[in-house]
Coordinates of all heavy atoms in Angstrom, one line a residue:
P76 N 86.5 64.4 124.8 CA 86.4 65.9 124.7 C 86.6 66.4 123.3 O 87.7 66.4 122.8 CB 87.6 66.3 125.7 CG 88.5 65.1 125.7 CD 87.7 63.9 125.3
F77 N 85.5 66.7 122.7 CA 85.6 67.2 121.3 C 86.4 68.5 121.2 O 86.8 68.8 120.1 CB 84.2 67.3 120.7 CG 83.6 66.1 120.1 CD1 83.3 65.0 120.9 CD2 83.5 65.9 118.7 CE1 82.8 63.8 120.4 CE2 83.0 64.8 118.2 CZ 82.7 63.7 119.0
C78 N 86.5 69.2 122.3 CA 87.3 70.5 122.2 C 88.7 70.1 121.8 O 89.3 70.9 121.0 CB 87.2 71.1 123.6 SG 87.7 70.0 124.9
H79 N 89.2 69.0 122.2 CA 90.6 68.6 121.8 C 90.7 68.5 120.3 O 91.7 68.9 119.7 CB 90.9 67.2 122.3 CG 91.3 67.1 123.7 ND1 92.0 66.1 124.3 CD2 91.2 68.0 124.7 CE1 92.2 66.3 125.5 NE2 91.7 67.5 125.8
N80 N 89.7 67.9 119.7 CA 89.7 67.8 118.2 C 89.5 69.1 117.5 O 90.0 69.3 116.4 CB 88.7 66.7 117.8 CG 89.2 65.3 118.0 OD1 89.6 65.1 119.1 ND2 89.1 64.5 117.0
G81 N 88.6 69.9 118.1 CA 88.4 71.2 117.5 C 89.6 72.0 117.4 O 89.9 72.8 116.5
C82 N 90.5 71.9 118.4 CA 91.7 72.7 118.5 C 92.9 72.0 117.7 O 93.2 70.9 118.1 CB 92.1 72.9 120.0 SG 93.7 73.7 120.1
P83 N 93.5 72.7 116.7 CA 94.6 72.0 116.0 C 95.8 71.7 116.9 O 96.5 70.8 116.6 CB 94.9 73.1 115.0 CG 93.8 74.0 114.9 CD 93.1 74.0 116.2
L84 N 95.9 72.4 118.0 CA 97.0 72.2 118.9 C 96.7 71.0 119.8 O 97.6 70.5 120.5 CB 97.3 73.4 119.8 CG 97.9 74.6 119.0 CD1 97.8 75.9 119.8 CD2 99.4 74.3 118.8
G85 N 95.5 70.5 119.9 CA 95.1 69.4 120.8 C 95.3 69.9 122.2 O 95.7 69.1 123.1
N86 N 94.9 71.2 122.5 CA 95.0 71.7 123.9 C 94.3 70.8 124.9 O 93.2 70.3 124.6 CB 94.5 73.1 123.9 CG 95.5 74.2 123.5 OD1 96.7 73.9 123.5 ND2 95.0 75.3 123.2
L87 N 94.9 70.6 126.0 CA 94.3 69.7 127.1 C 93.3 70.5 127.9 O 93.5 70.7 129.1 CB 95.5 69.2 127.9 CG 96.6 68.5 127.1 CD1 97.8 68.3 128.0 CD2 96.1 67.2 126.5
I88 N 92.2 70.8 127.2 CA 91.3 71.8 127.8 C 90.6 71.4 129.1 O 90.6 72.1 130.1 CB 90.3 72.2 126.7 CG1 91.0 73.0 125.6 CG2 89.1 73.1 127.2 CD1 90.3 73.0 124.2
P89 N 90.0 70.2 129.2 CA 89.4 69.8 130.4 C 90.4 69.8 131.6 O 90.0 70.1 132.7 CB 88.8 68.4 130.2 CG 89.3 68.0 128.8 CD 89.8 69.2 128.1
E90 N 91.7 69.5 131.3 CA 92.6 69.4 132.4 C 92.9 70.8 133.0 O 92.9 71.0 134.2 CB 94.0 68.8 131.9 CG 93.8 67.4 131.5 CD 95.2 66.7 131.2 OE1 96.2 67.2 131.6 OE2 95.2 65.8 130.4
W91 N 93.0 71.8 132.1 CA 93.3 73.1 132.7 C 92.1 73.8 133.2 O 92.1 74.6 134.1 CB 94.2 74.0 131.9 CG 94.2 74.1 130.4 CD1 95.1 73.4 129.6 CD2 93.5 74.9 129.5 NE1 94.9 73.7 128.3 CE2 93.9 74.6 128.2 CE3 92.4 75.8 129.6 CZ2 93.4 75.2 127.0 CZ3 91.9 76.4 128.5 CH2 92.4 76.1 127.2

Side-chain angles (χ1 to χ4, degrees):
F77 272 70
C78 52
H79 280 198
N80 281 50
C82 176
L84 288 162
N86 276 343
L87 306 168
I88 293 161
E90 293 187 25
W91 32 267

